[in-house]
Every structure is written in structure tokens, then in C-alpha cells.
Amino acid sequence: MTKKQTLRLGAGSAHEGDDLDAARAVAERGKLDYIVFDCSSEKAISMAFMRKQAGLPAYDIQLEPKLRAVLPGCVRNGTKIIANAGALDPEGAARLAVDVCRDLGIKGLKVAYVLGGDVSDVVRQQDPIVRETGKPVSALGNDVMGALAYGGFEAIVDALRSGADIVLTPRAGDSEQFLAPMIHEFGWKFDDWDRIGSGLGIGHLLECGAQITGGYFAEPGLKDVPDLHRLGFPIGEVEPDGSAIITKLPGTGGVVNEQSCKEQLVYEIGDPAAYIHAPGVVDFTTTSVRQAGPDRVRIAGTTGHPRTSTARVALAVRQGFIGMGRVLYGGTGAYRKALLAADMVGRQLRERYGAKDSDLRFDYIGYNALFDWGGDPDVLKEIELRVTGRFLTKDEAQKVRVLVSQLPVNGPAGAAWGRPLDQGGVEEVVTFYSTLLPHKDIKYSVHQFVA
Amino acid sequence: MPVTKLRDVCHARSGDKGATVNIGLICYEPEDYEWIREHVTADLVLKHLGPGVKGPAVRYELPKIGALNFVVHEALDGGVTCALMIDGHGKGFSTILLELEIRGEAPPSRNLPARGSS
């Protein structure tokens, strides 16, 4: 295999519900070798567990619109697709991809999927300690719905070596999804820790999509961003030594500068000298960030350390239901009326349904939804009261909304309760605890369909 | 005694890992790094974030990019999947930290005429 000189990696989504138009644009015009989708936020995985239980597809349900958006451009440009969209059913996700190809008249694409991320059985057998509770998994009893491991970069590399055009994993870490094509194209060794660290570092910068091209960044007057309404997704031009230029699709909105790159570098990290991923440990304290041209920033010098012996596993755990209700008060004394309503609903929830103070929350939000009050905008004339509470049963949780809905008639004077305040009401809660399993006990395997 | 609001000399980004929030605090001007290192301690940040945040807070240093990273535990009401708080993703914590005011000597960049008309 001839080794690449510069690899062009694009981000297709920062989360399962990201901007399809931006993804389509970068797939069509980004001259990409690979486009990588992060589809596995905690919220998405939580929903996958609930859908599996309900007998519904347990992969990213928004995979289809993503594929429809980018496949025509990817096929035209020879761009390969990597996505951690499989969750609890990577095979189902791959069948969907085949169907979409057929529907678009695309023939001959190799769709690889990775199995082995669902480690529910391994966790049941080994009963490891839960990091948050300090007790074994079994102590959580029947509330544990299952366990999904982060990882699988070796499987992505294997799939690419066997010629896959689309690779769908259960839940490969967001950064390792970018690392895998670097390993494949540059022939990096799995234990070349500085390169592994560099590649994961570039992945970390790209995996949140527009968060490095001007999203989650604009502060009027301090950090202005042009054309936020049509932000371009980022592109990494990666060199064989692990350095890279971060840029974005030309002709789009947004900005790539040292500030935007530094902000994304520190995003969701712990110890910057030991940022742990399944393939290795990133050391960002050696990284340099330098402007190299308009919307071009050079990232170099990132180092790495050997991988830890264990992989992180997310345990999905049932935690009852959250009930919520919202109502709005205006005019002088709005805050006092909201406080009075909160006191009223709080007493009702405690006395009638046994709610504990630690499971209830009252928030006060507002500006001008009811009326343009004029005057000093910093002096509040409106307060939206937002009540939330945790309950064991759905019926109890529904009472929050019911009691708030009674406020306009039974509560303090002048309550507004139209859309969207009257919407929603109850959410089932599946939360995550984490545990560790030895890498050797997580067995990934690669399978393939041809569209 | 001069008062410096962090927002005037730094930008920031925050995010979540379960119930933990991290806030990266980055100097606009690299020469201010020693000043934030001296003045913005983990204890001060924990206190500034108020009683809703349990902690502890740990501070890490990134001198090459002029930044500090604060990792604050027990900050997000159990994390986004089960939090009752409105900002379970912790993205607003960056704005809260930037409101912090430091009393005492101004940072070096504030003494340079080049930075704006103020």
C-alpha cells in the first residue's frame, strides 16, 4: 500500500441530531478522504437502551437522514464514512445503510459493521466495581439495563484494511474514530504512543464539529463570528507525523483561529497531561496551536502515553421518571408570585405524593414573553417558574405537570400557561454509571454487507 | 484597588463528563498566563460557583496555550441524563466563571495601550 502524504478528515456531526446541510456541504465540496460522524451522546445511548426494551431499532434513528445527506457526495469523491451509529444494533444500522444505498441507486459499496461493544454478559459474569458507587454492578439489581463499551478502533482499522466504504461501530470513542484512518493510511503502529496521542488529539479537536469553527464561541463585541447561520464543518489536513492543519469548508460561515482551537482543546478534558482514551493516553501539555493562514490553524507537538489496561464501559441504569411543569408570571412582583406558586406546588407534591426536597427543583427564568415591558432590561418583569421532580413511577411524575396546569385557576394572580409551557411533562430516565473491563475481555469482530 | 473581571482578559469553554463539569480558562494574551495562575485558584473557582456545586475542584495547567483547566466534581446534579438543573451539559459554566472579579494588581495586558481604547 502506498502511504498517504496528507489525509483529509472531515467531521459530519458532533451529535446524533446535528446540521445535515453542513454535513452535505462538506461531503460534496470538502475533497475528503473520510467523513466521521459522532452519533453517540449519553442521551442517544440512553434512548437506544429504551428503544431496545420497547422492541424498536436500537441504533441511531437519525442515521438514515445523515446517510442520505452525504452518500451522493461521498460516492462521487471516494470518501469513506465512519460512524459510531450502531449502538446496541450495529447490524441493523448496516442493513439500513444497504437499504439507503439501494434506494439512492448506489451499487457495490462495502458496508462494514462492528459487533462486540454490547458487553452486558461480560459485566454480568465479572461483576466489576461501579466507579460512582464503589460497589459491584450486581448491587444495582434489576435497574441495570445493559453495558456498552467505548472502543473498537482496531476493528475500524481492520474494516478499512478489508476495503470497507462505510464502517458502523457500536460506540467507538469520538476521537478514536478519527485515529483509525490515520493508523490505516499512514501505517502507524498501535504502540507508537506519540503518534497515537497526536492522532487522538486531532480527533478530539474535530469530533465536536462546528465547535472548532465558530460554534459555541461567539460573544458579541469580544469574539465575533461571521455568518453563524451557515457554519462550515471542520476539516483536518493530517500529516504522517501526527501534526495537522485545522480548517473549514471554504465559502461557509464561521471562523477557525487560535482561540476557537484552544477552546475545543480544553473541552471536556480532565488532566490535560493524561487524557485517557481506549487506544492510548493524550498529553496536551506539549501541544502548540498556531495560526497558519486565514481559517487555518496548525496543531503540532502533541505527545502520548501507553494505553491503560482497561476500557471504560457505560452501564445503563433505570432511575425512574422526571416530571416537569412551566408557568409564567408578569409585572411588578412577578418573582414573588412565582415564589408563591412554587411554594404551593412544592407543598402539594410533598404532602400528596411524598416528594422529597432533594428530588424537587424550582427555577426562575424570564424576560419578555408576556409583554414588552420597556425600561431597564436588567430589571426583571417576568418570571417563568419551572418545576422539575424525580419520581419512581410515571404516574407520580405526571402530577408535576397536572399541579402546575392548575395554577392559572388555583394559584397566584395572572399566570400564563400557553405553548410551549403546556407541552411535555414526563421523561423516563436512563442514566449511566461507569465501570472498567480489561481490553482483552472485550472482543470486537468485523462483518460486512455489500450494497 | 483595581478590579479585573476575568471576561476582560480570558475566554472560556465548559463541558460535562457525567456529574463533573470542566471549565477551560484561556488568556487572550499569553503574557497574562502567570497572572491567572497566581490569582485563579481551584478553591476560588469552587467558591464562585456557589452552593449548588459540591466539588472538589482540581486545577490543571496548560502553559503552552496559556490556559488553566478546572475540573469540578459533583457539579451537574447527577449528569445530563438525570439532572433536574437546566444546564445539565454544563455549557453555561464558562460564562459563570468569566464573571469572577479579581481584586489586586491588574494583569500585564491591561497595562498595555495596544488593547482597545478603554
mmCIF file of all heavy atoms in Angstrom, chain A residues 211 215-216 219 259 263-264 266-272 286 359 361 386 388 390 429-431, chain B residues 7 11-17 22 24 26 28 60 62 64-65 69 77 81-82 84-86 91:
data_model
loop_
_atom_site.group_PDB
_atom_site.id
_atom_site.type_symbol
_atom_site.label_atom_id
_atom_site.label_comp_id
_atom_site.label_asym_id
_atom_site.label_seq_id
_atom_site.Cartn_x
_atom_site.Cartn_y
_atom_site.Cartn_z
ATOM 1 N N GLN A 211 -17.941 23.133 16.778
ATOM 2 C CA GLN A 211 -17.406 23.760 17.990
ATOM 3 C C GLN A 211 -15.963 24.251 17.811
ATOM 4 O O GLN A 211 -15.452 24.989 18.654
ATOM 5 C CB GLN A 211 -17.474 22.798 19.187
ATOM 6 C CG GLN A 211 -18.857 22.755 19.789
ATOM 7 C CD GLN A 211 -18.944 22.130 21.166
ATOM 8 O OE1 GLN A 211 -20.031 21.987 21.657
ATOM 9 N NE2 GLN A 211 -17.842 21.757 21.787
ATOM 10 N N GLY A 215 -18.743 27.607 16.378
ATOM 11 C CA GLY A 215 -19.888 27.263 17.212
ATOM 12 C C GLY A 215 -19.481 27.252 18.677
ATOM 13 O O GLY A 215 -18.309 27.040 18.986
ATOM 14 N N TYR A 216 -20.439 27.479 19.558
ATOM 15 C CA TYR A 216 -20.173 27.548 20.999
ATOM 16 C C TYR A 216 -19.014 28.506 21.262
ATOM 17 O O TYR A 216 -18.102 28.210 22.005
ATOM 18 C CB TYR A 216 -19.854 26.143 21.535
ATOM 19 C CG TYR A 216 -19.734 26.018 23.049
ATOM 20 C CD1 TYR A 216 -20.080 27.062 23.901
ATOM 21 C CD2 TYR A 216 -19.267 24.859 23.637
ATOM 22 C CE1 TYR A 216 -19.967 26.950 25.265
ATOM 23 C CE2 TYR A 216 -19.145 24.723 25.004
ATOM 24 C CZ TYR A 216 -19.483 25.772 25.812
ATOM 25 O OH TYR A 216 -19.343 25.655 27.172
ATOM 26 N N GLU A 219 -19.239 35.705 21.095
ATOM 27 C CA GLU A 219 -19.565 36.649 22.162
ATOM 28 C C GLU A 219 -19.573 38.016 21.500
ATOM 29 O O GLU A 219 -18.507 38.548 21.193
ATOM 30 C CB GLU A 219 -18.469 36.650 23.239
ATOM 31 C CG GLU A 219 -18.437 35.455 24.118
ATOM 32 C CD GLU A 219 -19.040 35.752 25.497
ATOM 33 O OE1 GLU A 219 -19.526 36.881 25.724
ATOM 34 O OE2 GLU A 219 -19.026 34.844 26.318
ATOM 35 N N GLN A 259 -8.003 30.946 19.064
ATOM 36 C CA GLN A 259 -8.937 30.927 20.193
ATOM 37 C C GLN A 259 -9.931 29.775 20.074
ATOM 38 O O GLN A 259 -10.198 29.059 21.032
ATOM 39 C CB GLN A 259 -9.685 32.261 20.283
ATOM 40 C CG GLN A 259 -8.786 33.426 20.658
ATOM 41 C CD GLN A 259 -9.460 34.762 20.427
ATOM 42 O OE1 GLN A 259 -10.604 34.834 19.985
ATOM 43 N NE2 GLN A 259 -8.741 35.829 20.723
ATOM 44 N N GLU A 263 -10.118 26.640 22.707
ATOM 45 C CA GLU A 263 -11.346 26.328 23.457
ATOM 46 C C GLU A 263 -11.737 24.864 23.247
ATOM 47 O O GLU A 263 -12.169 24.186 24.174
ATOM 48 C CB GLU A 263 -12.504 27.253 23.040
ATOM 49 C CG GLU A 263 -12.353 28.645 23.598
ATOM 50 C CD GLU A 263 -13.639 29.457 23.551
ATOM 51 O OE1 GLU A 263 -14.740 28.878 23.421
ATOM 52 O OE2 GLU A 263 -13.537 30.697 23.631
ATOM 53 N N GLN A 264 -11.618 24.370 22.024
ATOM 54 C CA GLN A 264 -12.007 22.981 21.788
ATOM 55 C C GLN A 264 -10.982 22.021 22.391
ATOM 56 O O GLN A 264 -11.331 20.934 22.824
ATOM 57 C CB GLN A 264 -12.208 22.720 20.292
ATOM 58 C CG GLN A 264 -12.872 21.395 19.971
ATOM 59 C CD GLN A 264 -14.193 21.184 20.732
ATOM 60 O OE1 GLN A 264 -14.878 22.141 21.084
ATOM 61 N NE2 GLN A 264 -14.531 19.935 20.998
ATOM 62 N N VAL A 266 -9.552 22.315 25.245
ATOM 63 C CA VAL A 266 -9.842 22.102 26.670
ATOM 64 C C VAL A 266 -11.249 21.554 26.906
ATOM 65 O O VAL A 266 -11.627 21.278 28.049
ATOM 66 C CB VAL A 266 -9.682 23.406 27.497
ATOM 67 C CG1 VAL A 266 -8.246 23.888 27.452
ATOM 68 C CG2 VAL A 266 -10.633 24.495 27.035
ATOM 69 N N TYR A 267 -12.016 21.365 25.834
ATOM 70 C CA TYR A 267 -13.419 20.949 26.006
ATOM 71 C C TYR A 267 -13.519 19.506 26.527
ATOM 72 O O TYR A 267 -12.972 18.581 25.921
ATOM 73 C CB TYR A 267 -14.152 21.078 24.668
ATOM 74 C CG TYR A 267 -15.617 20.713 24.736
ATOM 75 C CD1 TYR A 267 -16.504 21.481 25.479
ATOM 76 C CD2 TYR A 267 -16.119 19.616 24.058
ATOM 77 C CE1 TYR A 267 -17.841 21.163 25.542
ATOM 78 C CE2 TYR A 267 -17.462 19.281 24.113
ATOM 79 C CZ TYR A 267 -18.317 20.060 24.862
ATOM 80 O OH TYR A 267 -19.646 19.730 24.926
ATOM 81 N N GLU A 268 -14.193 19.363 27.649
ATOM 82 C CA GLU A 268 -14.476 18.051 28.237
ATOM 83 C C GLU A 268 -13.234 17.203 28.508
ATOM 84 O O GLU A 268 -13.278 15.971 28.410
ATOM 85 C CB GLU A 268 -15.476 17.259 27.362
ATOM 86 C CG GLU A 268 -16.857 17.891 27.373
ATOM 87 C CD GLU A 268 -17.918 17.075 26.648
ATOM 88 O OE1 GLU A 268 -17.579 16.074 25.972
ATOM 89 O OE2 GLU A 268 -19.079 17.426 26.761
ATOM 90 N N ILE A 269 -12.133 17.860 28.850
ATOM 91 C CA ILE A 269 -10.953 17.085 29.240
ATOM 92 C C ILE A 269 -10.801 17.116 30.757
ATOM 93 O O ILE A 269 -11.403 17.952 31.428
ATOM 94 C CB ILE A 269 -9.649 17.582 28.575
ATOM 95 C CG1 ILE A 269 -9.242 18.968 29.091
ATOM 96 C CG2 ILE A 269 -9.785 17.596 27.062
ATOM 97 C CD1 ILE A 269 -7.863 19.406 28.651
ATOM 98 N N GLY A 270 -10.019 16.207 31.292
ATOM 99 C CA GLY A 270 -9.675 16.215 32.709
ATOM 100 C C GLY A 270 -8.240 16.700 32.842
ATOM 101 O O GLY A 270 -7.936 17.842 32.532
ATOM 102 N N ASP A 271 -7.360 15.805 33.256
ATOM 103 C CA ASP A 271 -5.939 16.131 33.328
ATOM 104 C C ASP A 271 -5.409 16.228 31.900
ATOM 105 O O ASP A 271 -5.390 15.229 31.169
ATOM 106 C CB ASP A 271 -5.210 15.017 34.101
ATOM 107 C CG ASP A 271 -3.713 15.279 34.214
ATOM 108 O OD1 ASP A 271 -3.218 16.234 33.569
ATOM 109 O OD2 ASP A 271 -3.047 14.520 34.930
ATOM 110 N N PRO A 272 -4.962 17.426 31.480
ATOM 111 C CA PRO A 272 -4.517 17.576 30.083
ATOM 112 C C PRO A 272 -3.268 16.753 29.760
ATOM 113 O O PRO A 272 -3.002 16.478 28.593
ATOM 114 C CB PRO A 272 -4.223 19.084 29.950
ATOM 115 C CG PRO A 272 -4.049 19.558 31.344
ATOM 116 C CD PRO A 272 -4.867 18.675 32.235
ATOM 117 N N THR A 286 1.952 19.411 25.712
ATOM 118 C CA THR A 286 3.053 19.652 24.767
ATOM 119 C C THR A 286 2.549 20.222 23.436
ATOM 120 O O THR A 286 3.332 20.460 22.523
ATOM 121 C CB THR A 286 3.789 18.328 24.469
ATOM 122 O OG1 THR A 286 2.822 17.366 23.997
ATOM 123 C CG2 THR A 286 4.452 17.776 25.716
ATOM 124 N N ASP A 359 -35.395 15.886 45.714
ATOM 125 C CA ASP A 359 -35.825 15.430 44.388
ATOM 126 C C ASP A 359 -36.707 16.459 43.683
ATOM 127 O O ASP A 359 -37.345 16.145 42.675
ATOM 128 C CB ASP A 359 -36.576 14.097 44.499
ATOM 129 C CG ASP A 359 -35.637 12.944 44.809
ATOM 130 O OD1 ASP A 359 -34.471 13.007 44.353
ATOM 131 O OD2 ASP A 359 -36.045 12.017 45.508
ATOM 132 N N ARG A 361 -36.974 20.608 42.197
ATOM 133 C CA ARG A 361 -36.190 21.792 41.871
ATOM 134 C C ARG A 361 -37.106 22.860 41.288
ATOM 135 O O ARG A 361 -38.012 22.558 40.508
ATOM 136 C CB ARG A 361 -35.095 21.434 40.863
ATOM 137 C CG ARG A 361 -34.168 22.601 40.580
ATOM 138 C CD ARG A 361 -33.044 22.215 39.660
ATOM 139 N NE ARG A 361 -32.381 23.415 39.201
ATOM 140 C CZ ARG A 361 -31.155 23.790 39.546
ATOM 141 N NH1 ARG A 361 -30.448 23.024 40.335
ATOM 142 N NH2 ARG A 361 -30.644 24.911 39.089
ATOM 143 N N ARG A 386 -40.206 27.115 36.606
ATOM 144 C CA ARG A 386 -40.014 25.780 36.042
ATOM 145 C C ARG A 386 -39.849 24.816 37.202
ATOM 146 O O ARG A 386 -38.939 24.971 38.015
ATOM 147 C CB ARG A 386 -38.767 25.804 35.160
ATOM 148 C CG ARG A 386 -38.321 24.478 34.588
ATOM 149 C CD ARG A 386 -37.049 24.737 33.788
ATOM 150 N NE ARG A 386 -36.445 23.536 33.274
ATOM 151 C CZ ARG A 386 -35.558 22.782 33.941
ATOM 152 N NH1 ARG A 386 -35.218 23.098 35.168
ATOM 153 N NH2 ARG A 386 -35.034 21.723 33.370
ATOM 154 N N THR A 388 -39.308 20.901 38.417
ATOM 155 C CA THR A 388 -38.930 19.549 37.999
ATOM 156 C C THR A 388 -38.798 18.668 39.235
ATOM 157 O O THR A 388 -38.453 19.148 40.313
ATOM 158 C CB THR A 388 -37.580 19.520 37.246
ATOM 159 O OG1 THR A 388 -36.654 20.340 37.956
ATOM 160 C CG2 THR A 388 -37.706 20.020 35.829
ATOM 161 N N ARG A 390 -37.990 14.351 40.596
ATOM 162 C CA ARG A 390 -37.683 12.942 40.310
ATOM 163 C C ARG A 390 -38.648 12.052 41.079
ATOM 164 O O ARG A 390 -38.877 12.266 42.280
ATOM 165 C CB ARG A 390 -36.263 12.614 40.769
ATOM 166 C CG ARG A 390 -35.179 13.090 39.830
ATOM 167 C CD ARG A 390 -33.807 12.592 40.292
ATOM 168 N NE ARG A 390 -33.260 13.507 41.266
ATOM 169 C CZ ARG A 390 -32.319 14.411 40.972
ATOM 170 N NH1 ARG A 390 -31.824 14.483 39.762
ATOM 171 N NH2 ARG A 390 -31.876 15.231 41.895
ATOM 172 N N VAL A 429 -36.130 8.128 32.792
ATOM 173 C CA VAL A 429 -34.710 8.405 32.991
ATOM 174 C C VAL A 429 -33.901 7.114 32.947
ATOM 175 O O VAL A 429 -34.142 6.195 33.727
ATOM 176 C CB VAL A 429 -34.459 9.102 34.344
ATOM 177 C CG1 VAL A 429 -32.967 9.342 34.544
ATOM 178 C CG2 VAL A 429 -35.226 10.404 34.408
ATOM 179 N N VAL A 430 -32.991 7.062 31.985
ATOM 180 C CA VAL A 430 -31.967 6.019 31.994
ATOM 181 C C VAL A 430 -30.643 6.759 32.105
ATOM 182 O O VAL A 430 -30.296 7.557 31.235
ATOM 183 C CB VAL A 430 -31.994 5.176 30.709
ATOM 184 C CG1 VAL A 430 -30.796 4.234 30.677
ATOM 185 C CG2 VAL A 430 -33.284 4.387 30.625
ATOM 186 N N THR A 431 -29.952 6.546 33.199
ATOM 187 C CA THR A 431 -28.700 7.270 33.387
ATOM 188 C C THR A 431 -27.532 6.297 33.258
ATOM 189 O O THR A 431 -27.741 5.108 33.023
ATOM 190 C CB THR A 431 -28.694 7.999 34.739
ATOM 191 O OG1 THR A 431 -27.604 8.896 34.770
ATOM 192 C CG2 THR A 431 -28.583 7.019 35.896
ATOM 193 N N ARG B 7 -13.689 38.010 32.351
ATOM 194 C CA ARG B 7 -14.205 38.147 30.993
ATOM 195 C C ARG B 7 -13.383 39.141 30.155
ATOM 196 O O ARG B 7 -13.340 39.040 28.930
ATOM 197 C CB ARG B 7 -15.656 38.610 31.074
ATOM 198 C CG ARG B 7 -16.405 38.622 29.789
ATOM 199 C CD ARG B 7 -17.885 38.892 30.056
ATOM 200 N NE ARG B 7 -18.676 38.714 28.850
ATOM 201 C CZ ARG B 7 -18.864 39.658 27.952
ATOM 202 N NH1 ARG B 7 -18.335 40.855 28.122
ATOM 203 N NH2 ARG B 7 -19.589 39.410 26.867
ATOM 204 N N HIS B 11 -11.064 34.032 27.698
ATOM 205 C CA HIS B 11 -12.253 33.365 27.196
ATOM 206 C C HIS B 11 -12.279 31.965 27.807
ATOM 207 O O HIS B 11 -11.301 31.541 28.438
ATOM 208 C CB HIS B 11 -12.325 33.363 25.667
ATOM 209 C CG HIS B 11 -11.141 32.815 24.951
ATOM 210 N ND1 HIS B 11 -11.181 31.707 24.152
ATOM 211 C CD2 HIS B 11 -9.841 33.244 24.915
ATOM 212 C CE1 HIS B 11 -9.988 31.480 23.635
ATOM 213 N NE2 HIS B 11 -9.157 32.388 24.077
ATOM 214 N N ALA B 12 -13.383 31.263 27.641
ATOM 215 C CA ALA B 12 -13.535 30.009 28.374
ATOM 216 C C ALA B 12 -14.490 29.090 27.649
ATOM 217 O O ALA B 12 -15.307 29.521 26.842
ATOM 218 C CB ALA B 12 -14.057 30.282 29.785
ATOM 219 N N ARG B 13 -14.369 27.801 27.947
ATOM 220 C CA ARG B 13 -15.314 26.811 27.423
ATOM 221 C C ARG B 13 -15.508 25.736 28.494
ATOM 222 O O ARG B 13 -14.536 25.332 29.133
ATOM 223 C CB ARG B 13 -14.785 26.191 26.128
ATOM 224 C CG ARG B 13 -15.729 25.155 25.521
ATOM 225 C CD ARG B 13 -15.360 24.807 24.096
ATOM 226 N NE ARG B 13 -15.576 25.934 23.194
ATOM 227 C CZ ARG B 13 -15.553 25.844 21.857
ATOM 228 N NH1 ARG B 13 -15.333 24.677 21.280
ATOM 229 N NH2 ARG B 13 -15.754 26.907 21.114
ATOM 230 N N SER B 14 -16.735 25.300 28.670
ATOM 231 C CA SER B 14 -17.015 24.281 29.675
ATOM 232 C C SER B 14 -17.810 23.136 29.066
ATOM 233 O O SER B 14 -18.463 23.293 28.043
ATOM 234 C CB SER B 14 -17.783 24.892 30.854
ATOM 235 O OG SER B 14 -18.966 25.531 30.409
ATOM 236 N N GLY B 15 -17.731 21.985 29.720
ATOM 237 C CA GLY B 15 -18.452 20.819 29.229
ATOM 238 C C GLY B 15 -18.585 19.776 30.321
ATOM 239 O O GLY B 15 -18.033 19.928 31.415
ATOM 240 N N ASP B 16 -19.307 18.705 30.024
ATOM 241 C CA ASP B 16 -19.635 17.731 31.059
ATOM 242 C C ASP B 16 -18.988 16.380 30.814
ATOM 243 O O ASP B 16 -18.704 15.995 29.682
ATOM 244 C CB ASP B 16 -21.148 17.542 31.130
ATOM 245 C CG ASP B 16 -21.721 16.908 29.851
ATOM 246 O OD1 ASP B 16 -21.320 17.326 28.744
ATOM 247 O OD2 ASP B 16 -22.549 15.996 29.956
ATOM 248 N N LYS B 17 -18.748 15.681 31.912
ATOM 249 C CA LYS B 17 -18.420 14.250 31.910
ATOM 250 C C LYS B 17 -19.196 13.678 33.079
ATOM 251 O O LYS B 17 -18.779 13.817 34.219
ATOM 252 C CB LYS B 17 -16.916 14.018 32.121
ATOM 253 C CG LYS B 17 -16.059 14.067 30.862
ATOM 254 C CD LYS B 17 -15.772 12.666 30.364
ATOM 255 C CE LYS B 17 -14.901 12.567 29.131
ATOM 256 N NZ LYS B 17 -14.538 13.622 28.299
ATOM 257 N N ASN B 22 -16.051 20.519 33.490
ATOM 258 C CA ASN B 22 -14.713 21.103 33.394
ATOM 259 C C ASN B 22 -14.823 22.462 32.708
ATOM 260 O O ASN B 22 -15.678 22.662 31.838
ATOM 261 C CB ASN B 22 -13.730 20.183 32.659
ATOM 262 C CG ASN B 22 -13.694 20.451 31.165
ATOM 263 O OD1 ASN B 22 -14.669 20.192 30.480
ATOM 264 N ND2 ASN B 22 -12.580 20.961 30.662
ATOM 265 N N GLY B 24 -12.367 25.266 30.929
ATOM 266 C CA GLY B 24 -11.065 25.703 30.448
ATOM 267 C C GLY B 24 -11.060 27.222 30.396
ATOM 268 O O GLY B 24 -11.969 27.832 29.808
ATOM 269 N N ILE B 26 -8.871 30.486 29.248
ATOM 270 C CA ILE B 26 -7.781 30.731 28.301
ATOM 271 C C ILE B 26 -7.507 32.227 28.203
ATOM 272 O O ILE B 26 -8.433 33.018 27.992
ATOM 273 C CB ILE B 26 -8.166 30.198 26.901
ATOM 274 C CG1 ILE B 26 -8.598 28.730 26.993
ATOM 275 C CG2 ILE B 26 -7.003 30.369 25.917
ATOM 276 C CD1 ILE B 26 -9.504 28.285 25.859
ATOM 277 N N TYR B 28 -6.551 35.691 26.545
ATOM 278 C CA TYR B 28 -6.461 36.286 25.208
ATOM 279 C C TYR B 28 -5.001 36.581 24.872
ATOM 280 O O TYR B 28 -4.559 36.381 23.744
ATOM 281 C CB TYR B 28 -7.261 37.597 25.140
ATOM 282 C CG TYR B 28 -8.750 37.423 25.000
ATOM 283 C CD1 TYR B 28 -9.611 37.725 26.050
ATOM 284 C CD2 TYR B 28 -9.314 36.975 23.807
ATOM 285 C CE1 TYR B 28 -10.983 37.580 25.918
ATOM 286 C CE2 TYR B 28 -10.681 36.827 23.660
ATOM 287 C CZ TYR B 28 -11.515 37.130 24.720
ATOM 288 O OH TYR B 28 -12.869 36.979 24.593
ATOM 289 N N TYR B 60 -5.681 22.174 36.583
ATOM 290 C CA TYR B 60 -4.562 21.697 35.769
ATOM 291 C C TYR B 60 -4.031 22.856 34.927
ATOM 292 O O TYR B 60 -4.778 23.773 34.586
ATOM 293 C CB TYR B 60 -5.015 20.558 34.845
ATOM 294 C CG TYR B 60 -5.500 19.332 35.585
ATOM 295 C CD1 TYR B 60 -6.856 19.114 35.776
ATOM 296 C CD2 TYR B 60 -4.597 18.408 36.091
ATOM 297 C CE1 TYR B 60 -7.309 17.991 36.454
ATOM 298 C CE2 TYR B 60 -5.038 17.279 36.770
ATOM 299 C CZ TYR B 60 -6.396 17.067 36.945
ATOM 300 O OH TYR B 60 -6.832 15.961 37.618
ATOM 301 N N LEU B 62 -1.975 24.439 31.519
ATOM 302 C CA LEU B 62 -1.537 24.262 30.126
ATOM 303 C C LEU B 62 -0.782 25.518 29.689
ATOM 304 O O LEU B 62 -1.292 26.344 28.922
ATOM 305 C CB LEU B 62 -2.747 24.042 29.205
ATOM 306 C CG LEU B 62 -3.549 22.754 29.395
ATOM 307 C CD1 LEU B 62 -4.877 23.041 30.072
ATOM 308 C CD2 LEU B 62 -3.792 22.083 28.056
ATOM 309 N N LYS B 64 1.567 26.107 27.632
ATOM 310 C CA LYS B 64 1.897 26.321 26.208
ATOM 311 C C LYS B 64 0.784 27.034 25.456
ATOM 312 O O LYS B 64 1.032 27.696 24.444
ATOM 313 C CB LYS B 64 2.197 24.978 25.516
ATOM 314 C CG LYS B 64 3.663 24.589 25.620
ATOM 315 C CD LYS B 64 4.036 23.560 24.578
ATOM 316 C CE LYS B 64 4.584 24.212 23.330
ATOM 317 N NZ LYS B 64 5.336 23.274 22.497
ATOM 318 N N ILE B 65 -0.459 26.864 25.907
ATOM 319 C CA ILE B 65 -1.546 27.598 25.257
ATOM 320 C C ILE B 65 -2.145 28.655 26.192
ATOM 321 O O ILE B 65 -3.210 29.209 25.913
ATOM 322 C CB ILE B 65 -2.653 26.659 24.724
ATOM 323 C CG1 ILE B 65 -3.328 25.891 25.868
ATOM 324 C CG2 ILE B 65 -2.096 25.693 23.685
ATOM 325 C CD1 ILE B 65 -4.655 25.240 25.443
ATOM 326 N N ASN B 69 -7.207 24.503 33.349
ATOM 327 C CA ASN B 69 -8.405 23.668 33.252
ATOM 328 C C ASN B 69 -8.884 23.316 34.656
ATOM 329 O O ASN B 69 -8.132 22.744 35.445
ATOM 330 C CB ASN B 69 -8.105 22.381 32.465
ATOM 331 C CG ASN B 69 -9.353 21.540 32.264
ATOM 332 O OD1 ASN B 69 -10.449 22.079 32.071
ATOM 333 N ND2 ASN B 69 -9.214 20.224 32.323
ATOM 334 N N ASP B 77 -25.666 17.834 39.211
ATOM 335 C CA ASP B 77 -26.902 17.198 39.684
ATOM 336 C C ASP B 77 -27.044 15.776 39.122
ATOM 337 O O ASP B 77 -28.108 15.388 38.644
ATOM 338 C CB ASP B 77 -28.092 18.082 39.273
ATOM 339 C CG ASP B 77 -29.393 17.649 39.933
ATOM 340 O OD1 ASP B 77 -29.335 16.956 40.963
ATOM 341 O OD2 ASP B 77 -30.475 18.008 39.404
ATOM 342 N N THR B 81 -28.277 13.078 31.935
ATOM 343 C CA THR B 81 -29.384 12.128 31.738
ATOM 344 C C THR B 81 -30.404 12.176 32.869
ATOM 345 O O THR B 81 -31.553 11.813 32.667
ATOM 346 C CB THR B 81 -28.858 10.682 31.609
ATOM 347 O OG1 THR B 81 -27.946 10.451 32.678
ATOM 348 C CG2 THR B 81 -28.168 10.464 30.279
ATOM 349 N N CYS B 82 -29.999 12.609 34.059
ATOM 350 C CA CYS B 82 -30.958 12.601 35.177
ATOM 351 C C CYS B 82 -31.048 13.934 35.913
ATOM 352 O O CYS B 82 -31.778 14.043 36.893
ATOM 353 C CB CYS B 82 -30.628 11.480 36.152
ATOM 354 S SG CYS B 82 -29.055 11.668 36.982
ATOM 355 N N LEU B 84 -32.001 17.589 37.236
ATOM 356 C CA LEU B 84 -33.149 18.492 37.215
ATOM 357 C C LEU B 84 -32.701 19.902 36.838
ATOM 358 O O LEU B 84 -33.506 20.715 36.398
ATOM 359 C CB LEU B 84 -33.819 18.531 38.596
ATOM 360 C CG LEU B 84 -34.367 17.202 39.120
ATOM 361 C CD1 LEU B 84 -35.069 17.418 40.464
ATOM 362 C CD2 LEU B 84 -35.341 16.579 38.122
ATOM 363 N N MET B 85 -31.416 20.219 37.023
ATOM 364 C CA MET B 85 -30.934 21.561 36.686
ATOM 365 C C MET B 85 -31.000 21.773 35.178
ATOM 366 O O MET B 85 -30.900 20.821 34.399
ATOM 367 C CB MET B 85 -29.512 21.779 37.199
ATOM 368 C CG MET B 85 -28.468 20.896 36.544
ATOM 369 S SD MET B 85 -26.845 21.078 37.313
ATOM 370 C CE MET B 85 -26.341 22.679 36.699
ATOM 371 N N ILE B 86 -31.179 23.039 34.788
ATOM 372 C CA ILE B 86 -31.458 23.326 33.384
ATOM 373 C C ILE B 86 -30.212 23.158 32.515
ATOM 374 O O ILE B 86 -30.310 22.874 31.326
ATOM 375 C CB ILE B 86 -32.054 24.750 33.263
ATOM 376 C CG1 ILE B 86 -32.899 24.887 31.996
ATOM 377 C CG2 ILE B 86 -30.989 25.813 33.338
ATOM 378 C CD1 ILE B 86 -33.815 26.081 32.025
ATOM 379 N N LYS B 91 -22.660 23.693 29.844
ATOM 380 C CA LYS B 91 -22.085 24.629 28.880
ATOM 381 C C LYS B 91 -22.112 26.076 29.381
ATOM 382 O O LYS B 91 -21.335 26.906 28.930
ATOM 383 C CB LYS B 91 -22.821 24.514 27.539
ATOM 384 C CG LYS B 91 -22.336 23.334 26.698
ATOM 385 C CD LYS B 91 -22.984 23.373 25.309
ATOM 386 C CE LYS B 91 -22.118 22.776 24.217
ATOM 387 N NZ LYS B 91 -21.943 21.341 24.269
#
